[in-house]
Amino acid sequence: MVNLDLRQTSALHSLVCQSILVLICLICFGYGGLSGAKFVFDDTVAIVKNKNVYTLPTNWTAIFSHDFWGAPLLSADSHKSFRPLTTLMFHYEYALLGLGASHMKFLNLLLHCVNTLLMWRLVRSLYVEDIDIERWATISAALFAAHPIHVEAVSGVVGRAELMFGLIHLLCLLLTVASVDKRGGSSIISILLLTAIGMLFKESAVTIPLSCAALDYFQNGTYMLPLKLQQRIITTRLRYLVYLFGTGLLIVLRLWWQNFEAPEFKAVDNPIAHSEQLLTRGLSQQYLYVMNFWLMLCPQWLCFDWALGCIQLVTSIWDMRLQAVIAFYSFIFVSLMNFRRLAGLMIGLALMVIPFLPASGIIRVGFVIAERTLYVPSMGFCLLFVYGFLYCYNYMADQAHWRHLLQALLMLLFAVLMLRTRQRAADWLNEEQLFSSALQVCPNNAKVHYNIARLATDMGNSSRAFHHYHRAIELYPEYESALMNLGNLYREHGQLQTAEKFIRAALAAYPAFPVAWMNLGIVQSAQKKYTEALDSYKQALKYRTDYAVCYYNMGNLYLEQQRYAEALHHWQHAVAVNPRQPKAWANILTMLDNRSMYEDALRLSEQGLLQLPHEPSIMFIRANVLGKLKHYVEAESLYKQVIELDPHNMLYHTNLGVLYHRWDKVQEAIDSYRTAISINAVRSTTARDNLGKLLKRMEREAINEQ
């Protein structure tokens, strides 16, 4: 008998190891390699441009006073997305490994592996009658591992918030199952504490106690003993009241932290929430539930942004799409009718619906559909789907051919899902592929065209940028960001009047748009309308008082008017607001250099390099000043560093030649001048002239020696 138990234990351990190996292989195959991965879409704002990521605040409370996107939590511009622990994770990754998309996405992939294994462990610990728990656990976890809907959360670095929410959610569910049929409140306190921590990763974690209560209900319902029925009912109801009270308290604390201020989203972000018709808003929201469920059921149409033009509003009760809504609610109604008999089905349904509540429209959100918000609800979907599959499989116990067919279909499903996940993960490697794939799904989405145009501008493809900006405006004429960026593009091409027209159109659509006011000031300054430009800059600062780039541009305006003291003051204000402003630092140092204020230039350049340690413009100007002060060795070292950073910069080689010229290192000077001329023969006038003077001097010295 002992030998039999040992054999059974060994077989179970073998099954466990095989299951873990299969799950990890599914994930690795689906997501492929991460080499060449770049920051895409929301990663740029939340990580690359977020000063809380690349500079650890000297005041630790500062990181708890900014939102996830780097804006002050209490400012009018804030989306109130408060996720300080997620931002802190990004910061320490940056501090240890640098700002690299590949290693950040790799950590996301590891977290997805951990969540998959935790989900498998959770299902194996459940007690549900009339179903093979091992099969339910393994197939559900495999489906979760390979599902394409998770690609946005895993391949987008900002999806870290969802992954950590999922991790804490699963830990709390495991704690709930472990504490079933046990006395004491330690597990409840632990779950509420974990929920509070989870909310600092992602606000949706506030739903964790409700998920735990639902799971506890179905597990208690299974274990309930007749002799202790009354006592069990009282205990469980008290536990649910504590969960409910704790959730309410956490919500109040969270709202208090943001001063009970609601975020303000634009119609461009969520047209459904901004619809003035109550019927349209209600029907469209119900249809969105179906669309979210459909994306999990059939993840063929995936898009990084579902805002404008992807989903048309449902304006009438006769809209044919409402048939899908009726079918969806019919399924839920039938499930509820059988909630006592089909406990596994209800567990899956509860774990799908409850985590989705914050994104369900009960509060106004800044998106129509966000695929990464389905990461945690998809756990419940996987349980639901596989439970249904196994229910059908068991129903056909005496029909072997139908069972074989179901097995074949399941294998085919996993093959298709893995290939789709691999394809979608490739889309998320860079923005060009991501935006192009979205255009195939939502060709009438103005935000997709806007992002393609923005990327084309960065890549220097102006004709494509013009086309997609105009297309975005055609689809949504009041798209203020597209109007402003199109104006900026016309400014870059010297069409200043057209640029001003589009930027003014952006301000007509959204008057409190500080970036547009600043860009209008830039256009007006280029047209020599200095008074109007100054008024525009002041309007920008009215709506955003800590606008460092605006102060920098005001400094440039005063420089054009030869008001040097005011120019210097505004550049200094710019770096005081945001020390990571390389152009402002360069202008300050250049002015000090030109005015022979060398000691001040050295002092401030040292401060600038503390903020931007490898900024070539600051290092270059500091080297120029050191050369004038005859600190040749230190100047030479800095010149060589900036040349290493940008070896094809003609000016760097020219000034290094000037340094050697002053230093009487003739051959080194000649080599530097010649390198500068070889890089750009047309613009290297100084290098050519100095080289000519140096060669004539050498000729004279040679003649004198003879």
Side-chain angles (χ1 to χ4, degrees):
M1 188 68 180
V2 173
N3 292 334
L4 180 62
D5 290 342
L6 288 173
R7 286 198 299 272
Q8 289 177 340
T9 302
S10 177
L12 181 60
H13 286 172
S14 177
L15 177 63
V16 168
C17 293
Q18 290 174 17
S19 300
I20 292 174
L21 183 62
V22 168
L23 295 176
I24 294 175
C25 287
L26 282 172
I27 296 171
C28 293
F29 176 82
Y31 287 89
L34 293 173
S35 59
K38 298 179 180 178
F39 292 111
V40 295
F41 196 43
D42 288 339
D43 295 345
T44 304
V45 180
I47 300 169
V48 180
K49 295 182 179 179
N50 188 347
K51 63 182 180 182
N52 291 324
V53 171
Y54 50 74
T55 57
L56 185 65
T58 53
N59 179 7
W60 271 91
T61 59
I63 202 168
F64 290 92
S65 61
H66 289 79
D67 66 17
F68 187 55
W69 312 102
L73 189 64
L74 300 182
S75 72
D77 296 332
S78 174
H79 284 189
K80 313 302 181 188
S81 303
F82 183 61
R83 304 162 195 172
L85 293 187
T86 307
T87 303
L88 204 58
M89 283 187 75
F90 294 151
H91 166 76
Y92 281 113
E93 283 178 81
Y94 166 76
L96 294 172
L97 301 172
L99 197 64
S102 296
H103 65 75
M104 286 184 163
K105 292 186 179 187
F106 181 70
L107 181 54
N108 278 15
L109 186 59
L110 288 180
L111 286 170
H112 183 50
C113 292
V114 172
N115 287 341
T116 300
L117 296 177
L118 286 176
M119 180 179 171
W120 174 70
R121 179 68 183 87
L122 170 67
V123 183
R124 290 183 73 242
S125 64
L126 297 178
Y127 179 79
V128 178
E129 295 178 348
D130 301 327
I131 195 169
D132 186 334
I133 290 294
E134 289 294 341
R135 282 182 176 173
W136 193 27
T138 303
I139 300 175
S140 297
L143 181 60
F144 181 76
H147 205 297
I149 200 67
H150 301 148
V151 173
E152 180 172 340
V154 177
S155 295
V157 182
V158 295
R160 180 73 54 79
E162 309 294 338
L163 295 165
M164 292 305 299
F165 166 31
L167 177 66
I168 294 174
H169 184 257
L170 287 165
L171 290 175
C172 289
L173 293 177
L174 282 165
L175 191 58
T176 300
V177 174
S179 63
V180 165
D181 204 35
K182 292 182 180 179
R183 295 182 180 181
S186 60
S187 63
I188 301 175
I189 296 172
S190 299
I191 287 170
L192 290 175
L193 286 174
L194 284 171
T195 299
I197 294 171
M199 289 175 67
L200 299 179
F201 283 105
K202 179 68 188 286
E203 301 86 345
S204 301
V206 72
T207 60
I208 289 176
L210 299 181
S211 296
C212 292
L215 184 62
D216 179 85
Y217 174 80
F218 290 106
Q219 289 299 284
N220 264 320
T222 305
Y223 286 118
M224 198 169 289
L225 302 175
L227 295 177
K228 298 182 179 181
L229 179 61
Q230 193 66 31
Q231 180 183 354
R232 179 63 58 79
I233 291 175
I234 295 173
T235 303
T236 54
R237 287 182 178 177
L238 284 174
R239 186 157 53 236
Y240 301 156
L241 285 174
V242 173
Y243 279 141
L244 189 62
F245 175 78
T247 301
L249 180 62
L250 289 172
I251 292 174
V252 171
L253 289 173
R254 173 64 179 80
L255 293 175
W256 171 77
W257 194 255
Q258 66 186 51
N259 202 26
F260 294 95
E261 295 176 354
E264 294 184 8
F265 298 110
K266 304 171 188 174
V268 67
D269 297 319
N270 190 348
I272 292 174
H274 284 80
S275 175
E276 296 180 357
Q277 298 295 326
L278 181 61
L279 179 65
T280 298
R281 192 163 63 247
L283 293 177
S284 299
Q285 192 63 54
Q286 301 307 309
Y287 180 66
L288 278 188
Y289 301 154
V290 177
M291 280 297 301
N292 279 280
F293 184 77
W294 178 253
L295 289 177
M296 292 188 287
L297 188 63
C298 183
Q300 174 59 28
W301 298 335
L302 298 177
C303 183
F304 73 93
D305 193 294
W306 289 83
L308 291 173
C310 280
I311 299 176
Q312 298 298 321
L313 298 178
V314 181
T315 58
S316 168
I317 60 173
W318 306 111
D319 193 308
M320 297 298 291
R321 290 175 293 175
L322 291 180
Q323 294 183 25
V325 176
I326 294 171
F328 177 69
Y329 279 107
S330 297
F331 165 72
I332 293 178
F333 179 73
V334 171
S335 300
L336 292 174
M337 290 290 291
N338 294 275
F339 79 99
R340 291 187 182 276
R341 188 168 61 89
L342 303 174
L345 182 71
M346 294 309 301
I347 289 173
L349 188 61
L351 296 184
M352 180 180 71
V353 172
I354 293 173
F356 182 71
L357 290 176
S360 66
I362 56 177
I363 57 173
R364 180 173 287 188
V365 292
F367 56 85
V368 177
I369 293 175
E371 291 165 15
R372 62 175 174 258
T373 63
L374 295 176
Y375 182 81
V376 177
S378 70
M379 297 176 185
F381 169 82
C382 292
L383 294 178
L384 189 69
F385 179 85
V386 177
Y387 183 88
F389 172 83
L390 292 176
Y391 186 86
C392 296
Y393 187 81
N394 293 336
Y395 183 76
M396 298 174 182
D398 56 345
Q399 302 178 45
H401 61 286
W402 285 111
R403 279 194 157 199
H404 293 324
L405 177 61
L406 284 176
Q407 290 173 355
L409 289 175
L410 184 64
M411 293 175 64
L412 178 62
L413 173 66
F414 275 109
V416 171
L417 289 178
M418 285 190 293
L419 290 173
R420 178 62 179 133
T421 296
R422 192 174 182 86
Q423 179 190 40
R424 189 60 181 158
D427 290 339
W428 275 86
L429 287 176
N430 58 70
E431 288 190 331
E432 186 174 7
Q433 292 175 234
L434 181 64
F435 298 159
S436 298
S437 67
L439 200 58
Q440 298 173 9
V441 177
C442 296
N444 293 324
N445 186 333
K447 289 189 76 173
V448 170
H449 287 279
Y450 166 80
N451 280 288
I452 291 174
R454 180 181 56 78
L455 181 62
T457 302
D458 294 341
M459 298 174 67
N461 191 342
S462 297
S463 59
R464 191 181 189 205
F466 275 120
H467 169 73
H468 284 285
Y469 275 137
H470 278 290
R471 180 60 177 151
I473 294 167
E474 179 184 339
L475 290 168
Y476 188 63
E478 296 183 353
Y479 198 167
E480 70 278 358
S481 296
L483 288 164
M484 181 194 69
N485 282 11
L486 182 58
N488 290 340
L489 195 59
Y490 276 115
R491 172 177 58 81
E492 291 174 5
H493 285 74
Q495 301 182 43
L496 298 179
Q497 291 183 347
T498 306
E500 184 172 351
K501 181 187 77 172
F502 278 105
I503 295 175
R504 286 192 180 278
L507 289 168
Y510 181 38
F513 195 2
V515 183
W517 280 112
M518 184 194 70
N519 282 298
L520 179 61
I522 294 172
V523 170
Q524 290 167 335
S525 178
Q527 294 174 300
K528 310 300 182 185
K529 300 177 181 177
Y530 296 132
T531 303
E532 294 180 28
L534 185 60
D535 290 339
S536 296
Y537 288 142
K538 288 179 178 179
Q539 283 291 328
L541 293 173
K542 171 186 174 183
Y543 295 112
R544 186 184 295 176
T545 55
D546 59 346
Y547 201 176
V549 180
C550 189
Y551 284 112
Y552 163 75
N553 282 301
M554 286 182 77
N556 294 345
L557 175 65
Y558 287 123
L559 179 65
E560 290 183 29
Q561 299 176 76
Q562 299 182 351
R563 297 162 64 178
Y564 301 118
E566 290 164 291
L568 185 61
H569 169 73
H570 281 82
W571 291 330
Q572 289 174 332
H573 198 152
V575 297
V577 173
N578 182 6
R580 297 177 65 86
Q581 285 284 323
K583 292 182 179 179
W585 281 112
N587 283 11
I588 292 169
L589 297 174
T590 300
M591 179 171 286
L592 294 174
D593 183 16
N594 292 339
R595 298 170 74 176
S596 301
M597 300 171 67
Y598 300 134
E599 295 301 327
D600 289 336
L602 289 179
R603 178 176 53 81
L604 288 176
S605 64
E606 189 173 352
Q607 293 178 14
L609 288 173
L610 288 175
Q611 301 295 332
L612 300 163
H614 304 292
E615 175 53 43
S617 60
I618 299 176
M619 296 166 69
F620 176 66
I621 299 168
R622 181 177 175 84
N624 292 342
V625 173
L626 288 168
K628 292 175 182 179
L629 294 174
K630 299 183 179 181
H631 298 176
Y632 297 132
V633 176
E634 189 177 351
E636 180 190 28
S637 174
L638 282 173
Y639 278 131
K640 287 183 176 180
Q641 288 180 51
V642 296
I643 287 172
E644 186 177 351
L645 293 171
D646 186 3
H648 300 293
N649 190 305
M650 177 267 297
L651 190 58
Y652 294 169
H653 290 281
T654 300
N655 282 28
L656 179 58
V658 172
L659 177 74
Y660 286 135
H661 203 148
R662 290 173 176 165
W663 202 354
D664 286 331
K665 289 192 172 186
V666 177
Q667 189 56 51
E668 288 87 345
I670 291 173
D671 292 341
S672 295
Y673 288 144
R674 284 175 175 169
T675 303
I677 294 169
S678 68
I679 292 172
N680 193 330
V682 177
R683 299 181 60 186
S684 55
T685 307
T686 302
R688 266 201 321 273
D689 292 344
N690 286 357
L691 179 61
K693 293 175 183 178
L694 195 58
L695 292 174
K696 288 179 181 178
R697 171 186 156 189
M698 290 177 67
E699 290 176 5
R700 287 195 301 268
E701 290 176 352
I703 293 171
N704 292 335
E705 288 177 1
Q706 293 177 356

